[in-house]
Amino acid sequence: MENHLWEGYVDWRGKAAVRTKHGGMRAAVFVLVVEVLENLAYLANASNLVLYLTQYMHFSPSQAANSVTNFMGTAFLLALLGGFLSDAFFTTYNIYIISALTEFLGLILLTMQAKSSSLQPPKCDEKQQQVQCQQVGGAKAALLFSGLYLVALGVGGIKGSLPAHGAEQFDGSTPRGRKQRSSFFNYFVFSLAAGSLIAVTLVVWIEDNIGWQWGFGISTLTILFSIPMFLAGSTFYRNKIPLGSPLTTISKVLMASVLNTCTTPSSSNAVASMSSSPPQCKEEEEGGDGSTKPESPSESLKFLNRAVANTDSNKVIKCSVQQVEEVKIVFKALPIFACTIVLNCCLAQLSTFSVQQAATMNTHLGPLKLPPASLPVFPVVFIMIIAPLYDHAIVPLARRIAKSEMGISHLQRIGAGLVISVVAMAAAALVETKRRAAAHGHLDSAAPLPLTFLWIAFQYLLLGSADLFTLAGLLEFFFTEAPLSMRSLATSLSFASLAMGYYLSTVIVSVVNGVTASSGGAPWLAGANLNHYQLHRFYWVMCALSGLNFLHYLFWANKYKYRSHAPPQPDRGRGFASSPPGRDIG
């Protein structure tokens, strides 16, 4: 009878999950639909927020850009909190519901402020200089940022729980389950794009032409509707039982390594017994996807092996070989995580300076006047086309050529995204040079420049493509490589990388302004008029940083060794982003 149950998993009522009833693609479909709604609610405002802050809250362009990057950075960084709580104390099922309600509350506050002029700063009045473009402050600013950061808290919890919740529906111990899980991550990115498409077209148009209260209101209703949609799949979900704090395991191993280094071991010391860490479920017992538990520590990161020494003291922090190897997995993946931060710093420009660039240009497309924040429609449509093509054509072809289960490795996908980001920033610099040339003689004019905003679409298309390759690769990489007890937290690192990128963008803007101002000239990125910015030079700086970052990534990708989840195959040599036996390109 036990063979019919998913060990370590329960249904929404807390009863043991049944193999014939719970999990699989049927359950994951609900997650994909919910992601469409969730990303629509979030991105409808985030993509256009920089214009809301400048036009209605009277921030300067650089202040608005920094505020948006800080907001989006915080939202994605809080994914770590959602992932941690899902692994340690709650299920991903519960975290999603709590987070969606939190985002709903924040959107209600923003809708109220957008609807009531008494909750906004005075409108700009050219006849009264003393109140002209007065920036929001006091209680009104408190309301604005309370709403924004409640939304950020909710978004973080959702990003930290929903991808892992969907991926947990598949049996990682079978080839069929692993292939379905890989398809899920591809379609998860497709769902992100589908929600984005509606957000940056319909909702952004409503915000710009009818009113921001309607835009916020649509987002509020959308996130509210996502909750019953998520609950509709309750009878099909299998929910992983929380296995305790992964941070406790990491801290324990690190502390034991340090203390055992300072303790003289007895002559009878040996590797600690595995009995101190009983398996929680079949996948945990087999290392997550079918690999067996190690009997002795591996040779990598040898300083952590000291944590399993049998000493007469420090019994409280005695560690098993399994715990040490789990911590090693986390440490080995961190350089890959770090190498994606610069890419996400480039992506941050799409929500800030790129929108402001487009706002100065001719935004007519035939008889239609399109809002600048709708520019992401180009990469979004591209992602929606390429994601199914990648899953149903490119990957099967790669599997046949490479004669491996996965065909294209996770690290190869990430590397492709990093290369595209270098090209994207070079294109952005060239387009900004062209825009500045068109602005010559019209620097202080409020009229649109005689240049179509479709030129900006190049950097959107390229960076959107980079995001497609990198995000899907990161999500699957972290989920499949992480120990079972840390999967939600590890998957949330994909969004934490986005957060770090947005924060890094803020830091780089401040550093660039500080350095250029200290050299005796005007800061490159300061003032109320974008036409006076040296944005093209800033983009060249980002291009150079992206190139150096890719070289850094090559070093760590070639050193990384995947976890083995299947019987070994003949060694075909290792190279850039090499793959685990039986799973990816060798």
Side-chain angles (χ1 to χ4, degrees):
M1 182 66 180
E2 292 182 359
N3 292 333
H4 298 292
L5 303 178
W6 290 112
E7 294 183 52
Y9 292 87
V10 295
D11 64 11
W12 69 283
R13 294 180 177 178
K15 298 180 180 180
V18 181
R19 288 179 177 270
T20 56
K21 293 182 179 179
H22 303 106
M25 189 60 75
R26 178 178 57 179
V29 166
F30 288 93
V31 175
L32 295 175
V33 173
V34 167
E35 181 53 35
V36 174
L37 299 173
E38 182 275 326
N39 207 47
L40 191 165
Y42 166 65
L43 199 62
N45 304 308
S47 63
N48 207 21
L49 185 60
V50 67
L51 295 184
Y52 178 70
L53 295 180
T54 53
Q55 295 174 3
Y56 292 90
M57 299 296 152
H58 310 320
F59 285 69
S60 70
S62 59
Q63 287 176 322
N66 283 343
S67 295
V68 171
T69 53
N70 289 338
F71 161 69
M72 298 181 76
T74 300
F76 290 127
L77 187 63
L78 286 170
L80 291 174
L81 177 62
F84 169 75
L85 293 175
S86 298
D87 281 332
F89 306 112
F90 305 97
T91 62
T92 51
Y93 179 89
N94 292 327
I95 291 296
Y96 176 82
I97 296 173
I98 295 170
S99 301
L101 289 173
T102 303
E103 184 177 351
F104 172 69
L105 179 59
L107 286 169
I108 287 179
L109 296 181
L110 293 174
T111 304
M112 290 171 51
Q113 185 171 38
K115 182 174 177 58
S116 175
S117 58
S118 63
L119 299 177
Q120 303 172 19
K123 293 184 178 180
C124 296
D125 190 344
E126 295 180 358
K127 297 180 181 179
Q128 301 183 37
Q129 296 295 324
Q130 67 273 19
V131 296
Q132 183 177 1
C133 295
Q134 178 183 337
Q135 185 174 321
V136 66
K140 297 175 182 178
L143 179 62
L144 170 67
F145 288 109
S146 295
L148 285 176
Y149 284 94
L150 277 173
V151 171
L153 180 60
V155 169
I158 292 172
K159 300 299 186 188
S161 59
L162 195 60
H165 182 74
E168 289 288 2
Q169 305 309 315
F170 303 100
D171 184 3
S173 64
T174 65
R176 181 173 181 269
R178 290 194 293 270
K179 289 180 180 179
Q180 286 184 329
R181 187 172 63 193
S182 182
S183 294
F184 165 78
F185 281 117
N186 288 329
Y187 277 99
F188 187 84
V189 175
F190 176 89
S191 295
L192 284 168
S196 301
L197 180 62
I198 302 172
V200 301
T201 52
L202 176 62
V203 183
V204 165
W205 184 89
I206 290 174
E207 290 169 346
D208 287 353
N209 294 276
I210 300 180
W212 270 87
Q213 69 272 23
W214 291 100
F216 284 128
I218 291 172
S219 295
T220 304
L221 294 176
T222 301
I223 196 64
L224 180 62
F225 178 67
S226 75
I227 297 175
M229 177 60 67
F230 180 78
L231 293 175
S234 297
T235 56
F236 305 115
Y237 299 142
R238 65 169 196 165
N239 303 306
K240 188 190 72 177
I241 299 174
L243 300 175
S245 171
L247 299 183
T248 300
T249 301
I250 295 173
S251 301
K252 183 179 176 182
V253 170
L254 291 176
M255 188 177 298
S257 299
V258 173
L259 292 179
N260 287 347
T261 300
C262 302
T263 302
T264 302
S266 65
S267 59
S268 60
N269 278 358
V271 174
S273 171
M274 292 294 293
S275 61
S276 61
S277 181
Q280 298 296 321
C281 69
K282 181 178 180 181
E283 286 191 65
E284 178 72 2
E285 183 178 353
E286 297 179 344
D289 284 312
S291 60
T292 57
K293 284 187 174 183
E295 296 180 358
S296 61
S298 62
E299 292 298 310
S300 61
L301 300 176
K302 289 184 179 180
F303 71 96
L304 293 176
N305 293 348
R306 298 164 185 162
V308 298
N310 283 327
T311 59
D312 295 331
S313 58
N314 308 323
K315 297 294 184 181
V316 176
I317 57 171
K318 183 178 179 181
C319 301
S320 68
V321 175
Q322 179 72 9
Q323 290 173 322
V324 171
E325 292 305 305
E326 288 179 353
V327 173
K328 286 183 179 182
I329 291 168
V330 174
F331 278 23
K332 291 175 184 177
L334 288 180
I336 304 299
F337 159 78
C339 289
T340 62
I341 293 175
V342 172
L343 164 64
N344 289 310
C345 180
C346 297
L347 287 171
Q349 311 316 313
L350 298 184
S351 302
T352 55
F353 291 126
S354 294
V355 175
Q356 293 170 337
Q357 285 176 279
T360 68
M361 303 166 75
N362 179 8
T363 59
H364 283 86
L365 191 63
L368 300 176
K369 186 177 186 299
L370 301 179
S374 288
L375 270 171
V377 70
F378 294 101
V380 161
V381 171
F382 178 75
I383 288 173
M384 294 182 69
I385 294 172
I386 200 67
L389 180 65
Y390 179 87
D391 192 66
H392 295 288
I394 298 176
V395 170
L397 178 62
R399 285 170 178 161
R400 287 194 295 270
I401 294 174
K403 296 181 180 179
S404 66
E405 185 179 298
M406 300 305 294
I408 300 176
S409 74
H410 313 138
L411 294 182
Q412 286 171 335
R413 293 189 69 174
I414 297 170
L418 296 182
V419 171
I420 296 173
S421 71
V422 178
V423 178
M425 295 317 297
L430 294 173
V431 169
E432 173 59 11
T433 300
K434 184 177 182 65
R435 192 196 69 84
R436 283 176 58 83
H440 185 70
H442 307 278
L443 294 179
D444 297 312
S445 173
L449 299 177
L451 186 68
T452 176
F453 79 141
L454 293 179
W455 282 100
I456 304 294
F458 284 109
Q459 62 211 57
Y460 273 91
L461 185 61
L462 288 169
L463 284 173
S465 303
D467 190 32
L468 166 65
F469 284 100
T470 304
L471 180 58
L474 269 181
L475 285 169
E476 189 172 3
F477 171 74
F478 285 130
F479 187 89
T480 57
E481 293 299 295
L484 184 66
S485 60
M486 304 181 189
R487 280 180 172 174
S488 297
L489 181 61
T491 305
S492 66
L493 284 174
S494 304
F495 296 102
S497 175
L498 282 169
M500 297 298 183
Y502 282 106
Y503 286 135
L504 181 61
S505 175
T506 301
V507 171
I508 291 178
V509 168
S510 300
V511 170
V512 166
N513 280 339
V515 171
T516 53
S518 64
S519 63
W524 283 2
L525 307 170
N529 190 334
L530 193 73
N531 292 332
H532 293 286
Y533 282 31
Q534 300 293 319
L535 192 57
H536 60 301
R537 296 179 178 177
F538 173 70
Y539 283 155
W540 281 123
V541 170
M542 294 302 302
C543 180
L545 288 176
S546 298
L548 293 173
N549 179 67
F550 176 66
L551 296 178
H552 182 221
Y553 174 79
L554 282 179
F555 172 79
W556 291 108
N558 279 307
K559 286 178 67 70
Y560 189 84
K561 293 183 179 180
Y562 287 86
R563 297 174 65 193
S564 178
H565 302 302
Q569 294 180 348
D571 184 17
R572 295 190 294 268
R574 296 190 70 245
F576 164 58
S578 61
S579 310
R583 297 186 65 209
D584 297 306
I585 298 175

mmCIF file of all heavy atoms in Angstrom, residues 337-374:
data_model
loop_
_atom_site.group_PDB
_atom_site.id
_atom_site.type_symbol
_atom_site.label_atom_id
_atom_site.label_comp_id
_atom_site.label_asym_id
_atom_site.label_seq_id
_atom_site.Cartn_x
_atom_site.Cartn_y
_atom_site.Cartn_z
ATOM 1 N N PHE A 337 25.073 31.702 -9.555
ATOM 2 C CA PHE A 337 24.101 32.729 -9.154
ATOM 3 C C PHE A 337 24.695 34.125 -9.291
ATOM 4 O O PHE A 337 24.076 35.038 -9.862
ATOM 5 C CB PHE A 337 23.662 32.453 -7.710
ATOM 6 C CG PHE A 337 23.088 33.638 -6.993
ATOM 7 C CD1 PHE A 337 21.789 34.056 -7.233
ATOM 8 C CD2 PHE A 337 23.844 34.345 -6.074
ATOM 9 C CE1 PHE A 337 21.251 35.147 -6.566
ATOM 10 C CE2 PHE A 337 23.323 35.436 -5.404
ATOM 11 C CZ PHE A 337 22.031 35.843 -5.659
ATOM 12 N N ALA A 338 25.904 34.318 -8.796
ATOM 13 C CA ALA A 338 26.540 35.637 -8.811
ATOM 14 C C ALA A 338 26.762 36.141 -10.232
ATOM 15 O O ALA A 338 26.666 37.353 -10.494
ATOM 16 C CB ALA A 338 27.858 35.588 -8.042
ATOM 17 N N CYS A 339 27.040 35.231 -11.148
ATOM 18 C CA CYS A 339 27.348 35.623 -12.526
ATOM 19 C C CYS A 339 26.120 36.100 -13.297
ATOM 20 O O CYS A 339 26.261 36.642 -14.405
ATOM 21 C CB CYS A 339 28.005 34.466 -13.269
ATOM 22 S SG CYS A 339 29.691 34.104 -12.728
ATOM 23 N N THR A 340 24.934 35.898 -12.777
ATOM 24 C CA THR A 340 23.727 36.356 -13.473
ATOM 25 C C THR A 340 23.260 37.729 -12.992
ATOM 26 O O THR A 340 22.326 38.288 -13.556
ATOM 27 C CB THR A 340 22.580 35.347 -13.278
ATOM 28 O OG1 THR A 340 22.259 35.243 -11.873
ATOM 29 C CG2 THR A 340 22.974 33.972 -13.799
ATOM 30 N N ILE A 341 23.911 38.277 -11.981
ATOM 31 C CA ILE A 341 23.458 39.547 -11.406
ATOM 32 C C ILE A 341 23.645 40.702 -12.388
ATOM 33 O O ILE A 341 22.773 41.567 -12.525
ATOM 34 C CB ILE A 341 24.190 39.818 -10.081
ATOM 35 C CG1 ILE A 341 23.769 38.779 -9.036
ATOM 36 C CG2 ILE A 341 23.882 41.225 -9.569
ATOM 37 C CD1 ILE A 341 24.533 38.881 -7.728
ATOM 38 N N VAL A 342 24.786 40.731 -13.101
ATOM 39 C CA VAL A 342 25.034 41.820 -14.047
ATOM 40 C C VAL A 342 23.999 41.786 -15.174
ATOM 41 O O VAL A 342 23.524 42.838 -15.627
ATOM 42 C CB VAL A 342 26.464 41.735 -14.605
ATOM 43 C CG1 VAL A 342 26.665 42.743 -15.735
ATOM 44 C CG2 VAL A 342 27.486 41.994 -13.500
ATOM 45 N N LEU A 343 23.628 40.582 -15.651
ATOM 46 C CA LEU A 343 22.581 40.484 -16.666
ATOM 47 C C LEU A 343 21.299 41.134 -16.169
ATOM 48 O O LEU A 343 20.644 41.905 -16.891
ATOM 49 C CB LEU A 343 22.321 39.019 -17.011
ATOM 50 C CG LEU A 343 21.004 38.725 -17.762
ATOM 51 C CD1 LEU A 343 21.004 39.393 -19.127
ATOM 52 C CD2 LEU A 343 20.769 37.237 -17.899
ATOM 53 N N ASN A 344 20.916 40.848 -14.941
ATOM 54 C CA ASN A 344 19.681 41.412 -14.403
ATOM 55 C C ASN A 344 19.806 42.902 -14.133
ATOM 56 O O ASN A 344 18.798 43.611 -14.109
ATOM 57 C CB ASN A 344 19.290 40.652 -13.134
ATOM 58 C CG ASN A 344 18.812 39.249 -13.444
ATOM 59 O OD1 ASN A 344 17.960 39.053 -14.306
ATOM 60 N ND2 ASN A 344 19.371 38.250 -12.768
ATOM 61 N N CYS A 345 21.019 43.386 -13.937
ATOM 62 C CA CYS A 345 21.250 44.824 -13.860
ATOM 63 C C CYS A 345 20.925 45.466 -15.208
ATOM 64 O O CYS A 345 20.336 46.550 -15.267
ATOM 65 C CB CYS A 345 22.698 45.101 -13.450
ATOM 66 S SG CYS A 345 23.099 46.851 -13.309
ATOM 67 N N CYS A 346 21.296 44.794 -16.290
ATOM 68 C CA CYS A 346 20.941 45.278 -17.630
ATOM 69 C C CYS A 346 19.429 45.258 -17.837
ATOM 70 O O CYS A 346 18.848 46.197 -18.407
ATOM 71 C CB CYS A 346 21.623 44.426 -18.693
ATOM 72 S SG CYS A 346 23.428 44.482 -18.672
ATOM 73 N N LEU A 347 18.774 44.189 -17.368
ATOM 74 C CA LEU A 347 17.318 44.094 -17.498
ATOM 75 C C LEU A 347 16.606 45.211 -16.755
ATOM 76 O O LEU A 347 15.521 45.641 -17.152
ATOM 77 C CB LEU A 347 16.838 42.735 -16.980
ATOM 78 C CG LEU A 347 17.141 41.511 -17.850
ATOM 79 C CD1 LEU A 347 16.797 40.235 -17.103
ATOM 80 C CD2 LEU A 347 16.366 41.582 -19.158
ATOM 81 N N ALA A 348 17.221 45.689 -15.674
ATOM 82 C CA ALA A 348 16.602 46.773 -14.897
ATOM 83 C C ALA A 348 16.424 48.033 -15.732
ATOM 84 O O ALA A 348 15.510 48.831 -15.481
ATOM 85 C CB ALA A 348 17.458 47.079 -13.665
ATOM 86 N N GLN A 349 17.279 48.213 -16.740
ATOM 87 C CA GLN A 349 17.181 49.421 -17.564
ATOM 88 C C GLN A 349 15.888 49.438 -18.382
ATOM 89 O O GLN A 349 15.411 50.510 -18.763
ATOM 90 C CB GLN A 349 18.393 49.521 -18.494
ATOM 91 C CG GLN A 349 19.753 49.334 -17.834
ATOM 92 C CD GLN A 349 19.893 50.082 -16.530
ATOM 93 O OE1 GLN A 349 19.546 51.260 -16.432
ATOM 94 N NE2 GLN A 349 20.412 49.395 -15.510
ATOM 95 N N LEU A 350 15.320 48.257 -18.645
ATOM 96 C CA LEU A 350 14.086 48.199 -19.426
ATOM 97 C C LEU A 350 12.906 48.809 -18.684
ATOM 98 O O LEU A 350 11.933 49.243 -19.299
ATOM 99 C CB LEU A 350 13.765 46.744 -19.797
ATOM 100 C CG LEU A 350 14.780 46.017 -20.681
ATOM 101 C CD1 LEU A 350 14.266 44.626 -21.024
ATOM 102 C CD2 LEU A 350 15.077 46.801 -21.943
ATOM 103 N N SER A 351 12.985 48.810 -17.348
ATOM 104 C CA SER A 351 11.889 49.358 -16.538
ATOM 105 C C SER A 351 12.122 50.815 -16.182
ATOM 106 O O SER A 351 11.246 51.440 -15.575
ATOM 107 C CB SER A 351 11.737 48.539 -15.247
ATOM 108 O OG SER A 351 11.497 47.188 -15.530
ATOM 109 N N THR A 352 13.266 51.351 -16.541
ATOM 110 C CA THR A 352 13.603 52.719 -16.122
ATOM 111 C C THR A 352 13.981 53.581 -17.318
ATOM 112 O O THR A 352 13.137 54.191 -17.960
ATOM 113 C CB THR A 352 14.743 52.683 -15.084
ATOM 114 O OG1 THR A 352 15.858 51.952 -15.624
ATOM 115 C CG2 THR A 352 14.293 51.974 -13.820
ATOM 116 N N PHE A 353 15.265 53.631 -17.657
ATOM 117 C CA PHE A 353 15.740 54.554 -18.684
ATOM 118 C C PHE A 353 15.151 54.249 -20.058
ATOM 119 O O PHE A 353 14.897 55.169 -20.833
ATOM 120 C CB PHE A 353 17.268 54.532 -18.752
ATOM 121 C CG PHE A 353 17.932 55.142 -17.541
ATOM 122 C CD1 PHE A 353 18.883 54.446 -16.821
ATOM 123 C CD2 PHE A 353 17.593 56.417 -17.121
ATOM 124 C CE1 PHE A 353 19.489 55.005 -15.714
ATOM 125 C CE2 PHE A 353 18.191 56.999 -16.012
ATOM 126 C CZ PHE A 353 19.143 56.288 -15.305
ATOM 127 N N SER A 354 14.938 52.975 -20.360
ATOM 128 C CA SER A 354 14.402 52.635 -21.686
ATOM 129 C C SER A 354 12.988 53.172 -21.862
ATOM 130 O O SER A 354 12.622 53.656 -22.943
ATOM 131 C CB SER A 354 14.420 51.116 -21.887
ATOM 132 O OG SER A 354 15.742 50.628 -21.921
ATOM 133 N N VAL A 355 12.175 53.103 -20.807
ATOM 134 C CA VAL A 355 10.820 53.664 -20.870
ATOM 135 C C VAL A 355 10.883 55.168 -21.042
ATOM 136 O O VAL A 355 10.137 55.765 -21.834
ATOM 137 C CB VAL A 355 10.028 53.295 -19.594
ATOM 138 C CG1 VAL A 355 8.659 53.974 -19.612
ATOM 139 C CG2 VAL A 355 9.856 51.791 -19.495
ATOM 140 N N GLN A 356 11.815 55.825 -20.323
ATOM 141 C CA GLN A 356 11.955 57.269 -20.428
ATOM 142 C C GLN A 356 12.480 57.680 -21.801
ATOM 143 O O GLN A 356 12.096 58.726 -22.336
ATOM 144 C CB GLN A 356 12.877 57.770 -19.314
ATOM 145 C CG GLN A 356 12.257 57.605 -17.927
ATOM 146 C CD GLN A 356 13.251 57.858 -16.807
ATOM 147 O OE1 GLN A 356 14.456 57.753 -16.997
ATOM 148 N NE2 GLN A 356 12.740 58.169 -15.629
ATOM 149 N N GLN A 357 13.364 56.883 -22.387
ATOM 150 C CA GLN A 357 13.818 57.149 -23.750
ATOM 151 C C GLN A 357 12.639 57.132 -24.718
ATOM 152 O O GLN A 357 12.474 58.048 -25.540
ATOM 153 C CB GLN A 357 14.833 56.094 -24.176
ATOM 154 C CG GLN A 357 16.221 56.219 -23.590
ATOM 155 C CD GLN A 357 17.095 55.054 -24.019
ATOM 156 O OE1 GLN A 357 17.038 53.969 -23.447
ATOM 157 N NE2 GLN A 357 17.886 55.258 -25.050
ATOM 158 N N ALA A 358 11.847 56.071 -24.638
ATOM 159 C CA ALA A 358 10.714 55.929 -25.549
ATOM 160 C C ALA A 358 9.713 57.067 -25.378
ATOM 161 O O ALA A 358 9.075 57.500 -26.353
ATOM 162 C CB ALA A 358 10.026 54.588 -25.323
ATOM 163 N N ALA A 359 9.581 57.585 -24.153
ATOM 164 C CA ALA A 359 8.628 58.662 -23.881
ATOM 165 C C ALA A 359 9.010 59.959 -24.593
ATOM 166 O O ALA A 359 8.155 60.831 -24.802
ATOM 167 C CB ALA A 359 8.518 58.897 -22.376
ATOM 168 N N THR A 360 10.288 60.108 -24.969
ATOM 169 C CA THR A 360 10.721 61.319 -25.677
ATOM 170 C C THR A 360 10.586 61.177 -27.182
ATOM 171 O O THR A 360 10.823 62.142 -27.913
ATOM 172 C CB THR A 360 12.197 61.639 -25.348
ATOM 173 O OG1 THR A 360 13.042 60.625 -25.925
ATOM 174 C CG2 THR A 360 12.429 61.701 -23.851
ATOM 175 N N MET A 361 10.227 60.006 -27.668
ATOM 176 C CA MET A 361 10.227 59.731 -29.101
ATOM 177 C C MET A 361 8.803 59.665 -29.653
ATOM 178 O O MET A 361 7.820 59.752 -28.901
ATOM 179 C CB MET A 361 10.981 58.410 -29.356
ATOM 180 C CG MET A 361 12.412 58.434 -28.824
ATOM 181 S SD MET A 361 13.207 56.811 -28.721
ATOM 182 C CE MET A 361 13.549 56.521 -30.455
ATOM 183 N N ASN A 362 8.701 59.495 -30.943
ATOM 184 C CA ASN A 362 7.410 59.377 -31.613
ATOM 185 C C ASN A 362 6.842 57.983 -31.342
ATOM 186 O O ASN A 362 7.386 56.986 -31.820
ATOM 187 C CB ASN A 362 7.589 59.610 -33.112
ATOM 188 C CG ASN A 362 6.270 59.483 -33.865
ATOM 189 O OD1 ASN A 362 5.195 59.373 -33.271
ATOM 190 N ND2 ASN A 362 6.341 59.491 -35.188
ATOM 191 N N THR A 363 5.771 57.910 -30.577
ATOM 192 C CA THR A 363 5.211 56.618 -30.171
ATOM 193 C C THR A 363 4.004 56.207 -31.020
ATOM 194 O O THR A 363 3.232 55.347 -30.625
ATOM 195 C CB THR A 363 4.792 56.653 -28.691
ATOM 196 O OG1 THR A 363 3.826 57.690 -28.484
ATOM 197 C CG2 THR A 363 5.996 56.901 -27.791
ATOM 198 N N HIS A 364 3.853 56.852 -32.188
ATOM 199 C CA HIS A 364 2.755 56.467 -33.087
ATOM 200 C C HIS A 364 3.165 55.258 -33.926
ATOM 201 O O HIS A 364 4.293 55.177 -34.428
ATOM 202 C CB HIS A 364 2.377 57.617 -34.010
ATOM 203 C CG HIS A 364 1.566 58.679 -33.330
ATOM 204 N ND1 HIS A 364 2.135 59.727 -32.629
ATOM 205 C CD2 HIS A 364 0.216 58.843 -33.218
ATOM 206 C CE1 HIS A 364 1.185 60.497 -32.127
ATOM 207 N NE2 HIS A 364 0.010 59.984 -32.463
ATOM 208 N N LEU A 365 2.244 54.332 -34.068
ATOM 209 C CA LEU A 365 2.423 53.173 -34.934
ATOM 210 C C LEU A 365 1.223 53.161 -35.870
ATOM 211 O O LEU A 365 0.156 52.637 -35.552
ATOM 212 C CB LEU A 365 2.498 51.887 -34.109
ATOM 213 C CG LEU A 365 2.942 50.620 -34.858
ATOM 214 C CD1 LEU A 365 4.358 50.778 -35.387
ATOM 215 C CD2 LEU A 365 2.869 49.403 -33.941
ATOM 216 N N GLY A 366 1.421 53.792 -37.034
ATOM 217 C CA GLY A 366 0.288 54.010 -37.918
ATOM 218 C C GLY A 366 -0.663 55.002 -37.272
ATOM 219 O O GLY A 366 -0.237 56.035 -36.752
ATOM 220 N N PRO A 367 -1.944 54.675 -37.226
ATOM 221 C CA PRO A 367 -2.899 55.604 -36.591
ATOM 222 C C PRO A 367 -2.935 55.477 -35.071
ATOM 223 O O PRO A 367 -3.585 56.281 -34.400
ATOM 224 C CB PRO A 367 -4.239 55.163 -37.196
ATOM 225 C CG PRO A 367 -4.044 53.700 -37.492
ATOM 226 C CD PRO A 367 -2.609 53.543 -37.885
ATOM 227 N N LEU A 368 -2.248 54.481 -34.526
ATOM 228 C CA LEU A 368 -2.295 54.234 -33.092
ATOM 229 C C LEU A 368 -1.170 54.962 -32.365
ATOM 230 O O LEU A 368 -0.048 55.064 -32.871
ATOM 231 C CB LEU A 368 -2.191 52.728 -32.808
ATOM 232 C CG LEU A 368 -3.276 51.829 -33.391
ATOM 233 C CD1 LEU A 368 -2.966 50.374 -33.091
ATOM 234 C CD2 LEU A 368 -4.645 52.216 -32.821
ATOM 235 N N LYS A 369 -1.486 55.468 -31.193
ATOM 236 C CA LYS A 369 -0.477 56.063 -30.318
ATOM 237 C C LYS A 369 -0.274 55.105 -29.143
ATOM 238 O O LYS A 369 -1.166 54.892 -28.338
ATOM 239 C CB LYS A 369 -0.922 57.427 -29.794
ATOM 240 C CG LYS A 369 0.149 58.154 -28.987
ATOM 241 C CD LYS A 369 -0.330 59.540 -28.565
ATOM 242 C CE LYS A 369 0.793 60.311 -27.890
ATOM 243 N NZ LYS A 369 1.290 59.677 -26.670
ATOM 244 N N LEU A 370 0.899 54.493 -29.095
ATOM 245 C CA LEU A 370 1.175 53.464 -28.100
ATOM 246 C C LEU A 370 1.896 54.056 -26.906
ATOM 247 O O LEU A 370 2.779 54.917 -27.060
ATOM 248 C CB LEU A 370 2.026 52.348 -28.708
ATOM 249 C CG LEU A 370 1.435 51.630 -29.919
ATOM 250 C CD1 LEU A 370 2.397 50.561 -30.419
ATOM 251 C CD2 LEU A 370 0.093 51.005 -29.557
ATOM 252 N N PRO A 371 1.557 53.620 -25.696
ATOM 253 C CA PRO A 371 2.284 54.074 -24.507
ATOM 254 C C PRO A 371 3.702 53.512 -24.508
ATOM 255 O O PRO A 371 3.909 52.357 -24.906
ATOM 256 C CB PRO A 371 1.456 53.523 -23.342
ATOM 257 C CG PRO A 371 0.676 52.395 -23.918
ATOM 258 C CD PRO A 371 0.440 52.723 -25.355
ATOM 259 N N PRO A 372 4.690 54.284 -24.051
ATOM 260 C CA PRO A 372 6.080 53.807 -24.048
ATOM 261 C C PRO A 372 6.265 52.516 -23.262
ATOM 262 O O PRO A 372 7.098 51.682 -23.622
ATOM 263 C CB PRO A 372 6.842 54.970 -23.386
ATOM 264 C CG PRO A 372 5.997 56.175 -23.636
ATOM 265 C CD PRO A 372 4.583 55.682 -23.604
ATOM 266 N N ALA A 373 5.504 52.331 -22.181
ATOM 267 C CA ALA A 373 5.659 51.143 -21.351
ATOM 268 C C ALA A 373 5.180 49.871 -22.044
ATOM 269 O O ALA A 373 5.339 48.780 -21.507
ATOM 270 C CB ALA A 373 4.920 51.312 -20.019
ATOM 271 N N SER A 374 4.599 50.018 -23.270
ATOM 272 C CA SER A 374 4.170 48.835 -24.007
ATOM 273 C C SER A 374 5.289 48.249 -24.858
ATOM 274 O O SER A 374 5.085 47.239 -25.536
ATOM 275 C CB SER A 374 2.976 49.175 -24.911
ATOM 276 O OG SER A 374 1.807 49.384 -24.145
#
